[in-house]
Amino acid sequence: MKPLTLDDVINVTGQFGRSQKIYYFGLSLLQIFIAAHMLLNIFTGVEPTFQCFPRDEGGKSGASLKNHSLLSKCIDNNVHNCRIVYTSEYKSFATEWNLICNEKYKVALVQSVWMFGVMSGALVLGGLADIIGRLKTLMLALLGTIAFEGFSAFAPTYIIMVAFRFLGGVCCSLIIVASFVLSQELVGMDWRSFCGIILGMSFAVGIAIFSLVASAVSDWRTLTLICSVCGIAFLSLPCCIPESPRWLASEGRSDEAKAVLDDIAKKNLTSGKLPKQWHLPSINKGKNKKQRKGLGLLVSHPYIAIITIILLYTWFVNGATYYALTIAASDLGGNIYVSTALNGLVEIPAGFIAMCIIDRLGRRVTLCGFMFIGGVACLSIQLLPSSLQYLTTSFALCGKLSISASFVAIYIHSGEIFPTMIRNSGMGIVSVSSRIGGMLSPFILMLGDVMPNLQFTVLGLLTLLSGLLNLKLPETLGQPMPETISDVLALRNSIKTVHHSKYKKLETEETEAYQETQSRSPSPRGREKPVHDDELPLVEDGD
């Protein structure tokens, strides 16, 4: 019986055949569902217009206003000093619970709590998919999101709604990470970047679609319920999408992984290209599961620890810069639905640009290049005179497009660096770093009150430093997805390039030959000593 690696089978049966296109279509539609929940607070908590009539005519401020009403303002900025008459046709939860004036902060608090839920889910439950599988995690998270977000539509009080939204954020974070990892593990290496980019563009399209739907709904409870009910259709995904064969193989369940690959080959009409008798060797055969599980593997070797730290910083910078530039550029006009839709659609060109170059120049060069461009664009704003507002806007837009493209690249690059055994855990922990950056972005923007455009200078410096650090990451273009920590260590030797098809791809040096050469070198005591992966030097000698 002939042994075949998982990549060998996918290369023979089709890297992105008919079956993978079906899988990918379902996962792309799921991004629209995620976008709706991520933007839900923008529309359900929209600030209403109202008139304020004085309650206490003898009050200090009320006495002078007893025969007048204030439009969308409260007496002494205190909602309790007013008799409120709402003039907005749309009924948001801000309208229902009088979250205006001095209570307005509670609207923003809902989004912050939801984001905290996303961060908490990625931190606490990010490794769940590495334990029970990608598909099971995705389904459990989807069910939780539908339930908790749906319950929030019927919440009788503000506190209960916030609690349900937090739980919905926890579940939604698992959908985000598990769906991306699953999409990368079901296709061949030549299609990983394409699939990752299209998922991001599907999310941007989802922003525009949700904005259109929200414009046709008249109250927040109905809109929230629509978002949740739409997710029920995705509960049928297990009928058309299998579990990741990479995860199954990494768990030693080679027979199940083989069955998934046989099914993919059958649907791709390529079963005849496989040998009649073949099997998948177990990736972790004979290894102690306790030793190979958990986030501790991210610091199990100095080189892995360095990679992890760089990725954490890069995701933090991407999150902080992306959300800061989005907030700074969000005021595109009076119509909140049009503004939100355009903010999403503007990310599509960034995706197309990244798609055109990431398989030609490589992941590392693409990521560093976009971060350098974004950093220079942000730093240039500080040098522009205040009278040239259109140039400031143009550079800010350039920065946002660049950071959007770098976000696409870092998703793909990170997914190809983390090994299968902890890929979901790794993506979860860097996602936490990104959420922390997003939570800090409003405070970075407040630096503009200290000095005009200082916030852009800080963002530019953070982005440039991240671009420089990413030069230390291994290139993964043309490489099989790593299954174990040893495979990640082997990426350090991927320094030779060859011309493959119409792209420049990387050719991994023969690690075994390198180790054999090292093993023949005499030890200080004159004896031959084998060199293992975890003993290889961190800094490579120049050729």
Side-chain angles (χ1 to χ4, degrees), residues 4-165:
L4 295 175
T5 67
L6 195 143
D7 288 297
D8 290 336
V9 177
I10 291 180
N11 287 335
V12 170
T13 59
Q15 296 193 33
F16 194 57
R18 184 171 61 178
S19 60
Q20 287 108 322
K21 289 182 174 68
I22 295 173
Y23 307 154
Y24 188 69
F25 179 71
L27 293 173
S28 296
L29 291 179
L30 188 59
Q31 305 309 303
I32 299 175
F33 176 77
I34 296 173
H37 286 280
M38 188 165 287
L39 296 178
L40 187 59
N41 197 66
I42 293 178
F43 301 117
T44 58
V46 65
E47 183 178 3
T49 57
F50 60 91
Q51 285 184 293
C52 167
F53 295 93
R55 283 183 181 274
D56 183 6
E57 296 185 359
K60 292 182 180 180
S61 299
S64 61
L65 297 169
K66 60 183 179 181
N67 295 322
H68 301 85
S69 65
L70 295 178
L71 182 61
S72 297
K73 292 182 180 180
C74 296
I75 300 169
D76 293 337
N77 196 39
N78 192 330
V79 66
H80 301 293
N81 291 338
C82 299
R83 180 172 58 85
I84 302 296
V85 176
Y86 290 102
T87 57
S88 302
E89 293 183 3
Y90 182 80
K91 185 179 181 181
S92 65
F93 65 76
T95 306
E96 182 169 335
W97 291 312
N98 291 330
L99 304 182
I100 54 177
C101 300
N102 62 315
E103 297 288 317
K104 183 180 177 181
Y105 75 95
K106 292 183 179 179
V107 176
L109 184 62
V110 176
Q111 183 67 15
S112 297
V113 169
W114 189 86
M115 288 290 290
F116 183 70
V118 173
M119 185 183 73
S120 301
L123 180 62
V124 178
L125 300 174
L128 184 63
D130 291 327
I131 300 173
I132 68 173
R134 299 2 178 170
L135 192 60
K136 287 183 180 178
T137 300
L138 185 61
M139 290 300 102
L140 288 175
L142 183 59
L143 189 61
T145 301
I146 294 170
F148 292 130
E149 297 284 10
F151 291 155
S152 71
F154 301 98
T157 65
Y158 170 80
I159 296 298
I160 294 177
M161 183 201 68
V162 172
F164 279 130
R165 287 237 67 199

Side-chain angles (χ1 to χ4, degrees), residues 381-442:
I381 294 176
Q382 185 72 67
L383 306 176
L384 296 174
S386 57
S387 58
L388 300 178
Q389 185 61 37
Y390 69 96
L391 280 180
T392 300
T393 303
S394 298
F395 276 102
L397 182 60
C398 177
K400 184 182 179 184
L401 288 174
S402 298
I403 208 67
S404 297
S406 73
F407 234 137
V408 170
I410 192 62
Y411 254 106
I412 296 170
H413 201 195
S414 300
E416 294 179 344
I417 289 177
F418 290 124
T420 299
M421 60 174 63
I422 54 168
R423 183 168 296 122
N424 213 89
S425 302
M427 293 298 291
I429 199 68
V430 294
S431 178
V432 169
S433 183
S434 174
R435 302 306 171 191
I436 293 174
M439 293 172 68
L440 293 179
S441 60

